[in-house]
Amino acid sequence: MAAPGLRLGAERLFEMPAVLELLSRSNSTSQAFAEVLRLPKQQLRKLLYPLQEVERFLAPDRRQDLHLRIFDPSPEDIARADKVFTATEGNRIDYVSSAVRIGHAPDLPRPEVCFIGRSNVGKSSLIKALFSLAPEVEVRVSKKPGHTKKMNFFKVGKHFTVVDMPGYGYRAPEDFVDMVETYLKERRNLKRTFLLVDSVVGIQKTDNIAIEMCEEFALPYVIVLTKIDKSSKGHLLKQVLQIQKFVNTKTQGCFPQLFPVSAVTFSGIHLLRCFIASVTGNLD
Ligand code: GDP
């Protein structure tokens, strides 16, 4: 859940000269993010707050259907989170190891977040985009579905661990359910599960396996909509509304706000980094 201080949000974009002035005086902003903030306002909103961009095309009486300002950080907080994801001498971001069962998982005491989704949903591409400020981290992106067969652990400085879970559905490893179920059930420091859904096709039958696991174990989880650059605005809006309705009516543990992303245009990536930093206690 967002800290109260994170409720300033997208409207700060309209005060951008003041925000830029403030950020240029603080050392919380990387050069790269300072350049992002100089983008034209509409482009910037699309990049940082893609759900609010979708909302613009929604009839006013439907807008409350989208819970889009529950997590609504300011550009300053987004800049701080980008710092957490930036590899430096003092903030090493590395692949740690892989495991096929929980007993082989590295013993890492930090808060942990995991990414789970159907094969080909865009999980490796998303993790690669999240780690783009740590170019030495190798996340394999495959053209063939079913690539990730193991749980891959990455540590982000002294802040938290990111776990890339095996893809499910087509060509999932045989022991997928055992491996993932045990991890979700037993991993004590797991703070949030990010469940990826392809925004082009929406929630598929196989996605229900992962949703049911999260619900059954009462885990806090979040739905991330991938590949948003692939759809027209109309199609994306339709999918967003359908998935939002599903979250509102059929889930208990799912965070009410959706996180749309594109690993190609980077839309939503900064916001997702900020949410991860927040749920792992790194923005307090
Ligand atoms: P994984 O099997 O879930 O790890 O999926 P990958 O990351 O390997 O992506 C599967 C395919 O979707 C690849 O061909 C990627 O290039 C493509 N892809 C992934 N993310 C995006 C995205 O945000 N936009 C577009 N247009 N293609 C994507």
Side-chain angles (χ1 to χ4, degrees):
M1 197 58 84
L6 297 183
R7 289 180 186 279
L8 297 164
E11 53 277 27
R12 292 295 295 274
L13 292 181
F14 299 102
E15 303 158 18
M16 204 36 90
V19 172
L20 271 173
E21 172 64 25
L22 203 141
L23 288 174
S24 64
R25 277 191 275 114
S26 80
N27 61 6
S28 68
T29 315
S30 66
Q31 191 58 33
F33 195 68
E35 276 165 32
V36 164
L37 289 172
R38 284 180 215 283
L39 287 170
K41 215 184 298 167
Q42 201 181 327
Q43 235 177 304
L44 184 60
R45 176 172 25 206
K46 214 166 151 182
L47 181 72
L48 296 188
Y49 306 103
L51 198 55
Q52 297 192 18
E53 184 59 19
V54 171
E55 184 207 26
R56 293 199 314 130
F57 299 93
L58 198 58
D61 62 327
R62 298 288 312 276
R63 289 192 182 155
Q64 77 270 17
D65 294 353
L66 292 181
H67 301 283
L68 78 183
R69 289 196 177 80
I70 299 173
F71 181 72
D72 190 20
S74 64
E76 290 97 318
D77 284 315
I78 294 181
R80 281 170 61 210
D82 261 29
K83 276 261 165 177
V84 171
F85 276 89
T86 304
T88 60
E89 194 82 336
N91 190 47
R92 301 286 298 270
I93 301 179
D94 291 316
Y95 161 78
V96 180
S97 63
S98 300
V100 286
R101 61 181 64 93
I102 187 83
H104 296 171
D107 188 14
L108 298 163
R110 314 270 174 225
E112 197 156 286
V113 295
C114 75
F115 286 79
I116 185 167
R118 260 182 330 112
S119 301
N120 225 30
V121 71
K123 185 161 51 62
S124 319
S125 305
L126 172 62
I127 295 176
K128 208 167 176 225
L130 289 170
F131 283 151
S132 66
L133 302 170
E136 260 140 58
V137 176
E138 219 187 298
V139 183
R140 290 165 70 194
V141 179
S142 125
K143 294 254 179 302
K144 292 190 206 120
H147 175 89
T148 314
K149 309 271 188 206
K150 297 177 177 176
M151 304 183 268
N152 301 315
F153 293 77
F154 300 88
K155 85 174 162 50
V156 179
K158 295 191 169 58
H159 303 290
F160 53 85
T161 308
V162 169
V163 189
D164 180 10
M165 301 298 277
Y168 51 82
Y170 175 62
R171 288 177 62 187
E174 271 170 32
D175 51 355
F176 170 82
V177 173
D178 280 351
M179 188 192 317
V180 175
E181 196 173 270
T182 318
Y183 169 87
L184 294 177
K185 203 156 56 177
E186 294 184 7
R187 195 71 167 168
R188 292 282 154 253
N189 48 344
L190 178 63
K191 294 291 172 214
R192 203 65 55 125
T193 297
F194 291 86
L195 201 154
L196 274 48
V197 171
D198 186 331
S199 69
V200 180
V201 295
I203 296 177
Q204 302 287 292
K205 263 192 200 145
T206 43
D207 291 320
N208 288 318
I209 306 173
I211 293 170
E212 279 164 20
M213 277 188 203
C214 293
E215 291 285 329
E216 188 185 334
F217 306 140
L219 295 174
Y221 65 105
V222 183
I223 293 187
V224 176
L225 304 177
T226 62
K227 308 188 189 180
I228 59 167
D229 60 285
K230 282 182 89 173
S231 299
S232 66
K233 285 192 183 85
H235 182 72
L236 180 61
L237 187 56
K238 187 170 147 241
Q239 292 291 358
V240 164
L241 287 172
Q242 260 176 21
I243 297 167
Q244 183 74 65
K245 189 171 173 197
F246 172 84
V247 170
N248 294 352
T249 58
K250 301 267 191 291
T251 69
Q252 295 288 331
C254 188
F255 191 69
Q257 183 173 335
L258 303 173
F259 283 79
V261 294
S262 164
V264 171
T265 64
F266 261 63
S267 199
I269 298 296
H270 298 276
L271 189 69
L272 190 57
R273 281 186 191 138
C274 192
F275 188 69
I276 295 169
S278 174
V279 296
T280 54
N282 286 289
L283 278 191
D284 303 336

